[in-house]
Amino acid sequence: MYVRKALFLLVIITLLPTIFSGCGLLNQQSSDQLNALAAVEVKNYEGRDLSSILDFHENSISGPQKIDISTYLLKIDGLVANPQELTYNQVLSHKPYSKVVTLYCVENWAVTILWEGFLMKDLLDAAKVDGTANTVIFHAVDGYTTSIPLQTILDKNMILAYKINGVVLPPERGYPFQLVAEDKLGYKWIKWITRIELSDDVNYKGYWESKGYDNTADVQK
Ligand SMILES: Nc1nc2c(c(=O)[nH]1)N[C@H]1C(S)=C(S)[C@@H](COP(=O)(O)O)O[C@H]1N2
Ligand SMILES: [Mo]
């Protein structure tokens, strides 16, 4: 009897750390990974000091997302003549561009980062955007959405980033792609993008916009 009880207790005690540390282990792994990336990231560019990958705050609506790149597709659809379904490598085959841009979150933090990626204009051109489209609605794997006027995206030469400070976007930062919504507040910088929808709904409101955040979201300079 005592032997069985003791054995049972032993099993429970051995398993306890595994049962309760699941989340902790994951967090430890991901912060180890971020520290490793921070060690190799670009720290300044054309004379400008950059922020670090570690300076971002993580407050995504459903936490960091893990995307399986072997099944990942970026869709470009809606008001287009030539809808696209691009694999990660197909997106990466476009001409790359780099720029240093500051992301300002409404929660009072900012990061100045070297972003590398592909011109939204190049991706949209391939989809043959209809003359009636005036709004671009972005969708992400966590259900997050946001929108930006088509003309703003073209005028500001917005890019879809796949690298920050010279390293491939880590999962926390939006792998495989984050929109560099230059001059717009952080909630327009959608991460984990899966779909770019061309629309004529100028009043479309994304996740935070529908909760009262300004739809224009211009950074006040
Ligand atoms: N898919 C998705 N993208 C998102 C968010 C989100 O919750 N989900 N949060 C936005 C907000 S409010 C900000 S400030 C930036 C911040 O980027 P970071 O989470 O990498 O720090 O991501 C934006 N992109
Ligand atoms: Mo934000």
Side-chain angles (χ1 to χ4, degrees), residues 73-78 80-87 90-91 94 122-128 194-196:
L73 287 174
L74 175 65
K75 296 190 178 70
I76 307 177
D77 62 6
V80 300
N82 192 14
Q84 306 278 299
E85 281 201 347
L86 306 170
T87 64
Q90 284 173 326
V91 178
H94 290 81
D122 289 348
L123 296 167
L124 294 177
D125 280 352
K128 297 200 165 49
T194 52
R195 180 176 173 216
I196 300 172

Side-chain angles (χ1 to χ4, degrees), residues 131-191:
T132 57
N134 52 28
T135 304
V136 184
I137 303 171
F138 295 86
H139 303 256
V141 77
D142 57 349
Y144 193 86
T145 62
T146 192
S147 65
I148 297 180
L150 173 60
Q151 201 54 50
T152 305
I153 288 179
L154 302 176
D155 289 347
K156 295 196 181 290
N157 290 317
M158 286 188 185
I159 64 171
L160 204 61
Y162 78 113
K163 276 187 177 180
I164 48 176
N165 290 353
V167 302
V168 170
L169 280 180
E172 293 81 356
R173 297 284 73 78
Y175 178 79
F177 302 113
Q178 178 172 31
L179 180 70
V180 179
E182 198 164 344
D183 298 332
K184 300 287 177 185
L185 292 167
Y187 55 89
K188 296 286 183 184
W189 295 57
I190 183 168
K191 305 189 286 187

Side-chain angles (χ1 to χ4, degrees), residues 33-47:
Q33 190 217 9
L34 285 180
N35 281 319
L37 290 175
V40 298
E41 69 183 318
V42 175
K43 298 283 187 319
N44 44 64
Y45 185 73
E46 293 179 346

Side-chain angles (χ1 to χ4, degrees), residues 56-63 65 103-106 109 111 140-145 172-174 178 185-193 207-208:
F56 286 82
H57 297 217
E58 176 48 56
N59 50 10
S60 305
I61 56 164
S62 302
Q65 304 292 309
L103 180 160
Y104 299 88
C105 175
V106 293
W109 56 271
V111 283
V141 77
D142 57 349
Y144 193 86
T145 62
E172 293 81 356
R173 297 284 73 78
Q178 178 172 31
L185 292 167
Y187 55 89
K188 296 286 183 184
W189 295 57
I190 183 168
K191 305 189 286 187
W192 307 298
I193 300 169
Y207 182 87
W208 286 120

Side-chain angles (χ1 to χ4, degrees), residues 9-24:
L9 271 175
L10 195 76
V11 169
I12 290 296
I13 289 166
T14 320
L15 284 178
L16 268 179
T18 323
I19 294 166
F20 287 104
S21 70
C23 306

